[in-house]
């Protein structure tokens, strides 16, 4: 790896010595780098066939994942809880026997291709956190467009725009990491292969999560007031939806209830197979409890709120707390008691007050009856001495 550092160092020296910055000759292959995947993704590598694991770690899948991660790295929000939750979920799915059957001799030459295709996931997991984040975007695009030609065309467009952005920044600021990322060759056919692997994974995940997916689709069909992503171009809208979804899910996983104002956020929910509880405000208020253990009970998502101030086109997620369902940032706690919860009458209240008075005087329990009789004698004496006594207010009125 020392030659990579040497090459970058020489390029930096060249930039320093030249008044007219020229970056055309810097060419470092990021695909040669393989990173240790997060712990939550380790099961994926073990579950893949040898052929798929090799391609994910050394082939075009790894190259695309690594290059895309570097390309978008400095605009990706920090979401450690989301990355961990996504890794946990995909590991749960691939660990399901019906999702990942093993090939046998009967499968002949197709033995290495039997089972779940998680090649894109392992390629991203071994390419770094930023590559996993870009994989989340790939899942959103594959879920959105049934025709892979559309999603691949969008990938080509956003890659080109992002490369131009990085090169412009590099020319202005001399940022070498951006130069390296912007000059990586990302071929259309490689993007298509990566997209196909993502689609294969979504099909596998849907078969395992079919109950939650069907439940969510029914809810989505009833939502008509949630707009699309804000932005002036396809590129801006896609990045807006992607980054908003990541930040919003990170908040939900922290236990902070959120309000969704963007249909793309709901798209992410389905594409990532992460299902927080939903509170849907439509013709009637419906609470959908997905019972997803990855989310705390307070991390509920409200959909269907409308704003009269035109602010609906701002962030896809807003902080929200539906008081009818969430009390003190959590679900109401049911408490069971042994005794019946009954009311007391005024005489019992007087006895409680009398007991509190004796407690204040530090009267021992053995003397309670003596004190009671003493107070009774005082009452009798006062009545005998001032039997005809009237308060000043009553005397003036009479």
């Amino acid at each position: 790896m020392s030659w990579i550092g040497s090459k970058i160092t020489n390029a930096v020296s060249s930039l320093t010595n030249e008044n007219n910055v020229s970056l055309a000759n810097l060419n470092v292959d990021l695909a040669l780098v393989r990173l240790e995947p997060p712990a939550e993704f380790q099961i994926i590598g073990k579950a893949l066939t040898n052929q798929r694991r090799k391609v994910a770690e050394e082939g075009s899948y790894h190259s695309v994942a690594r290059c895309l991660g570097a390309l978008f790295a400095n605009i990706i929000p920090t979401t450690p809880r989301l990355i961990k939750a996504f890794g946990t979920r995909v590991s749960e799915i691939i660990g399901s026997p019906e999702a990942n059957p093993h090939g046998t001799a009967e499968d002949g030459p197709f033995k290495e291709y039997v089972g779940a295709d998680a090649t894109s996931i392992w390629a991203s997991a071994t390419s770094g956190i930023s590559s996993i984040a870009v994989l989340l975007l790939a899942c959103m695009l594959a879920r959105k467009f049934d025709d892979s030609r559309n999603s691949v065309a969008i990938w080509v467009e956003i890659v080109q725009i992002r490369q131009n952005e990085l090169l412009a920044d590099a020319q202005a600021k001399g940022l070498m990491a951006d130069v390296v990322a912007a000059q990586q060759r990302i071929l259309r056919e490689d993007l298509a292969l990566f997209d196909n692997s993502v689609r294969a994974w979504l099909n596998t995940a849907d078969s395992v999560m079919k109950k939650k997916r069907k439940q969510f689709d029914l809810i989505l069909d009833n939502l008509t007031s949630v707009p699309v992503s804000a932005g002036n171009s396809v590129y801006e809208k896609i990045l807006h939806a992607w980054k908003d979804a990541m930040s919003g899910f990170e908040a939900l996983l922290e236990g902070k209830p959120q309000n969704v104002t963007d249909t793309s956020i709901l798209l992410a929910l389905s594409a990532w197979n992460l299902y927080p509880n939903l509170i849907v405000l439509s013709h009637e208020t419906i609470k959908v409890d997905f019972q997803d253990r990855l989310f705390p009970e307070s991390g509920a998502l409200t959909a269907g709120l409308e704003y009269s101030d035109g602010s609906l086109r701002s962030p896809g997620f807003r902080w929200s707390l539906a008081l009818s369902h969430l009390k003190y940032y959590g679900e109401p706690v049911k408490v069971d008691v042994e005794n019946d919860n009954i009311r007391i009458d005024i005489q019992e209240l007087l006895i409680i007050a009398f007991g509190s008075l004796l407690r204040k005087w530090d009267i021992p329990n053995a003397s309670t009856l003596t004190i009671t009789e003493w107070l009774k004698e005082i009452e009798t004496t006062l009545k005998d001495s001032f039997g005809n006594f009237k308060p000043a207010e009553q005397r003036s009125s009479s």
Side-chain angles (χ1 to χ4, degrees):
M1 301 298 291
S2 60
W3 68 273
I4 296 180
S6 176
K7 200 163 188 178
I8 294 179
T9 301
N10 293 336
V12 173
S13 300
S14 176
L15 281 176
T16 303
N17 296 329
E18 294 180 10
N19 294 326
N20 184 18
V21 180
S22 178
L23 305 173
N25 295 324
L26 183 63
N27 183 21
V28 178
D29 190 358
L30 293 178
L32 297 175
V33 180
R34 180 189 182 280
L35 302 178
E36 183 68 18
E40 294 77 21
F41 290 84
Q42 293 286 352
I43 295 177
I44 299 294
K46 297 176 182 178
L48 288 177
T49 62
N50 293 332
Q51 174 66 21
R52 282 177 171 156
R53 184 165 56 251
K54 181 178 180 180
V55 172
E57 295 177 356
E58 303 174 4
S60 62
Y61 292 92
H62 184 78
S63 176
V64 169
R66 183 78 178 133
C67 293
L68 289 177
L71 191 62
F72 293 94
N74 58 7
I75 63 171
I76 296 173
T78 302
T79 55
R81 290 178 178 83
L82 173 58
I83 298 299
K84 182 177 181 180
F86 181 71
T88 302
R89 180 49 41 82
V90 296
S91 294
E92 289 176 351
I93 292 172
I94 205 169
S96 175
E98 64 269 22
N100 192 35
H102 298 288
T104 64
E106 296 180 356
D107 297 308
F110 300 103
K111 177 181 178 179
E112 289 293 317
Y113 299 95
V114 174
D117 183 358
T119 311
S120 57
I121 297 177
W122 188 242
S124 301
T126 56
S127 298
I129 297 299
S130 60
S131 296
I132 297 175
V134 175
L135 173 66
L136 296 177
L137 172 57
C139 290
M140 292 177 67
L141 292 176
R143 178 69 87 195
K144 175 64 177 178
F145 299 102
D146 294 333
D147 190 340
S148 62
R149 290 175 297 181
N150 293 331
S151 55
V152 173
I154 288 177
W155 268 119
V156 172
E157 179 179 347
I158 64 177
V159 164
Q160 181 178 359
I161 293 175
R162 182 59 188 157
Q163 286 177 331
N164 292 337
E165 286 181 349
L166 287 183
L167 284 176
D169 287 342
Q171 291 285 355
K173 304 174 184 177
L175 301 177
M176 301 310 301
D178 289 352
V179 177
V180 174
Q183 292 195 339
Q184 299 300 305
R185 291 190 64 193
I186 305 177
L187 301 178
R188 186 188 189 97
E189 50 265 34
D190 290 339
L191 289 170
L193 286 174
F194 194 83
D195 179 77
N196 284 336
S197 177
V198 171
R199 291 176 182 276
W201 169 255
L202 290 180
N203 289 334
T204 298
D206 288 346
S207 66
V208 176
M209 308 288 291
K210 55 186 176 183
K211 181 178 180 180
K212 285 184 171 61
R213 176 72 198 283
K214 183 177 181 180
Q215 191 177 10
F216 173 74
D217 286 344
L218 291 175
I219 294 298
L220 193 62
D221 290 341
N222 293 323
L223 288 175
T224 58
S225 62
V226 183
V228 296
S229 303
N232 297 322
S233 65
V234 173
Y235 175 77
E236 290 182 0
K237 289 181 179 180
I238 289 175
L239 263 61
H240 178 274
W242 171 44
K243 293 189 291 184
D244 261 2
M246 291 188 65
S247 299
F249 270 87
E250 182 72 9
L252 288 169
L253 290 163
E254 288 184 56
K256 299 176 181 178
Q258 302 287 301
N259 170 48
V260 58
T261 61
D262 191 323
T263 52
S264 295
I265 309 302
L266 298 175
L267 174 68
L269 184 155
S270 165
W272 302 342
N273 288 287
L274 297 173
Y275 292 92
N277 291 339
L278 283 177
I279 300 172
V280 182
L281 307 178
S282 185
H283 301 296
E284 59 179 333
T285 301
I286 303 173
K287 183 179 180 182
V288 185
D289 188 357
F290 284 110
Q291 297 181 341
D292 192 329
R293 65 178 185 83
L294 297 180
F295 291 88
E297 290 186 355
S298 58
L301 184 61
T302 302
L305 284 180
E306 297 185 12
Y307 295 88
S308 59
D309 60 355
S311 60
L312 198 60
R313 293 183 59 82
S314 57
F317 271 99
R318 291 171 175 265
W319 188 88
S320 174
L321 182 63
L323 296 179
S324 60
H325 295 283
L326 300 170
K327 303 180 187 299
Y328 304 106
Y329 302 92
E331 294 290 346
V333 179
K334 182 180 179 181
V335 179
D336 295 324
V337 296
E338 295 181 358
N339 299 327
D340 292 335
N341 184 16
I342 59 176
R343 296 177 181 273
I344 61 174
D345 58 29
I346 188 62
Q347 297 299 324
E348 291 170 330
L349 178 61
L350 290 175
I351 293 175
I352 293 174
F354 179 56
S356 299
L357 178 63
L358 296 182
R359 176 68 177 174
K360 185 68 175 178
W361 288 350
D362 292 329
I363 303 298
N365 293 337
S367 302
T368 300
L369 184 58
T370 302
I371 293 298
T372 304
E373 292 176 347
W374 176 66
L375 291 174
K376 183 65 176 178
E377 288 294 332
I378 292 177
E379 179 189 19
T380 301
T381 300
L382 290 174
K383 284 184 178 180
D384 292 342
S385 300
F386 305 98
N388 296 325
F389 177 78
K390 295 182 178 180
E393 298 175 353
Q394 295 184 11
R395 290 200 303 270
S396 60
S397 61
S398 59

